[in-house]
DNA sequence: CAACATTTGTTGAACATTCATTCAATATGG
DNA sequence: CCATATTGAATGAATGTTCAACAAATGTTG
């Protein structure tokens, strides 16, 4: 159902973190290109955030997770704070590219576009325990750190505007009564809330049930388009 | 609109933290009853979580915020971890009592009950920057701390079951087509997502617009009952 | 191609700082 | 005067950062 939506570079980085370092990344102690090493450290940071949370994520844990020595992070990133910002930026870019690709693949039909955006949100490459946990770790610190604030909401202004536009179009073609802004806000908030459930719910909420809930919303809000 | 829904003990604790310590709580250095002092420290903890985030919340900051000395927290609570657990438990109890009270005040009509539950979520005593920030701070750490997991989701199993029951009843009386479980999940997830927006959104999402979005959802999902 | 030099990446120990916890001394209320 | 609450300095552990030494790649020269 979702296969056609899935992109892109995330496959490489995910595989790298799941199966330790492959042969493609040079083994421990050997040199690797700057970008590869930085990505490796960023992936190790996401691992640590997911496993230990923001407060317990240490430079030593990141270095150990990457199979490298203690001082290496301060060489590639100047400080712990800059490592975390780079990690957040990486996740933001990935999410952003992901929904834009999904939107592009949907074609011209607004109903189809909205459906694809919702599907994209629950795609395995984006929506897995590890990355959701990392997102939540950043969200928990965003309010007190202005630097995080802009990046920490993966669904940014642009994303929200696309939702509003789609809801406006659907309202006209379907003759619905609601305010597009309000429905768009309800919809994107629900998607974020479902993400929250997916990580905190013990097991009662799965990607499937979350997707069902999102589709139930679409069917209720746009009965002429999704029935 | 919401006045009749608002309870309860939260007024006292909120006022206490907002206007420093009043005369009701004994002044610095003087003795106070165990419960008062513990509540005072818990409120100071919420303040610190909201202002500095989980990672930067220190015992010293909590003690300073309460206007007391450094060692005091380890006297009333055994450790930092137990202080944080007590704080989370306090917020959980408060939220739980709040929605139960709202449900009780709604009377017997299911549609009215659901409306009151939604209103309760955006009541000022519960839904303010300070407490939302504290919630989010705990959420960010919940995945890596089993102790938090049970308490960190303010909307617990009981809450969710009430939603499911209400959606089931409304479905029968309104002749709707959807799956009650899915709609209930969509609804409660949206409420949580709106909370998220309220703290992270720079200012574009207010309590009013969030409530409008929630009501738009109700109107779309239950057109016969809210319209 | 070999020998050397230079740049760049990497290591791990040392350092300084922050912070939770402990506890003996002191203050307070009953 | 006794039990209890409170203080604030001391302690020890954890952790981010620095840096001198080392290793590997790259460049240079004969």
């Amino acid at each position: 159902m979702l296969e056609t939506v899935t992109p892109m570079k995330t496959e490489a980085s995910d595989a790298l973190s799941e199966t330790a370092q492959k042969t493609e990344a040079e083994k421990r102690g050997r040199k690797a290109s700057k970008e590869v090493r930085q990505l490796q450290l960023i992936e190790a940071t996401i691992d640590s955030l997911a496993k230990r949370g923001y407060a317990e994520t240490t430079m030593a844990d990141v270095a150990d997770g990457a199979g490298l020595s203690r001082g290496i992070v301060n060489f590639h990133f100047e400080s712990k704070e800059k490592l975390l910002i780079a990690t957040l930026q990486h996740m933001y870019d990935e999410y952003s590219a992901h929904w834009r690709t999904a939107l592009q693949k949907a074609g011209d039909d607004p109903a189809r576009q909205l459906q694809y955006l919702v599907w994209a949100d629950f795609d395995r490459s984006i929506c897995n325990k590890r990355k959701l946990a990392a997102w939540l770790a950043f969200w928990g610190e965003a309010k007190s750190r202005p630097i995080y604030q802009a990046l920490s909401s993966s669904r940014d202004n642009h994303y929200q505007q696309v939702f509003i536009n789609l809801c406006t179009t659907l309202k006209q073609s379907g003759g619905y009564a609601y305010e597009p802004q309000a429905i768009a806000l309800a919809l994107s908030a629900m998607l974020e809330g479902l993400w929250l459930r997916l990580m905190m719910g013990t097991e009662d909420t799965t990607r499937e049930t979350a997707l069902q809930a999102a589709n139930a919303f679409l069917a209720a809000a746009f009965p002429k388009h999704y029935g």
Side-chain angles (χ1 to χ4, degrees), chain A:
Chain A
M1 174 206 262
L2 296 179
E3 311 88 305
T4 57
V5 183
T6 309
M8 96 193 52
K9 66 174 174 181
T10 72
E11 297 160 2
S13 48
D14 259 27
L16 183 132
S17 74
E18 283 169 1
T19 66
Q21 65 272 44
K22 293 185 153 183
T23 48
E24 95 175 73
E26 285 80 353
K27 309 212 165 175
R28 133 134 215 169
R30 302 238 161 265
K31 274 192 183 177
S33 81
K34 242 186 168 93
E35 291 104 14
V36 167
R37 192 97 314 161
Q38 292 190 351
L39 253 183
Q40 183 185 4
L41 290 171
I42 284 177
E43 293 295 332
T45 305
I46 296 177
D47 283 338
S48 183
L49 287 171
K51 199 194 323 161
R52 315 178 34 145
Y54 188 99
E56 304 295 328
T57 287
T58 68
M59 300 286 265
D61 192 55
V62 170
D64 289 354
L68 298 171
S69 72
R70 298 295 157 91
I72 194 69
V73 184
N74 289 93
F75 179 80
H76 286 286
F77 303 88
E78 194 176 327
S79 64
K80 182 185 183 183
E81 185 179 27
K82 293 196 173 162
L83 167 69
L84 289 167
I85 291 173
T87 302
L88 181 54
Q89 179 81 56
H90 175 77
M91 298 205 304
Y92 179 90
D93 291 343
E94 181 187 39
Y95 183 84
S96 190
H98 187 248
W99 72 258
R100 282 163 212 262
T101 303
L103 188 60
Q104 206 175 356
K105 287 189 175 168
D108 289 336
D109 179 34
R112 205 173 138 91
Q113 289 179 342
L114 192 54
Q115 177 72 77
Y116 268 55
L117 283 182
V118 169
W119 280 344
D121 234 40
F122 298 101
D123 190 302
R124 264 214 173 81
S125 68
I126 293 286
C127 179
N128 53 70
K129 278 235 170 206
R130 175 173 165 270
K131 282 187 185 151
L132 293 187
W135 273 117
L136 192 47
F138 279 115
W139 291 351
E141 298 293 318
K143 65 216 156 302
S144 49
R145 284 172 222 259
I147 316 159
Y148 291 173
Q149 208 137 22
L151 295 173
S152 58
S153 185
S154 54
R155 296 161 184 76
D156 56 10
N157 286 339
H158 188 355
Y159 186 84
Q160 190 65 23
Q161 193 56 52
V162 169
F163 264 57
I164 293 174
N165 293 341
L166 287 175
C167 287
T168 305
T169 307
L170 291 183
K171 176 188 177 180
Q172 289 173 348
S173 74
Y176 306 124
Y178 48 67
E179 205 63 44
Q181 292 230 355
I183 282 289
L185 178 55
L187 180 51
S188 61
M190 182 200 61
L191 293 178
E192 269 182 2
L194 286 173
W195 269 22
L196 260 179
R197 289 296 176 96
L198 282 174
M199 33 186 353
M200 298 213 296
T202 43
E203 293 303 327
D204 54 339
T205 306
T206 67
R207 251 175 59 252
E208 283 71 30
T209 57
L211 189 51
Q212 281 170 16
N215 284 329
F217 180 103
L218 290 182
F222 314 99
K224 299 248 176 66
H225 296 90
Y226 311 90

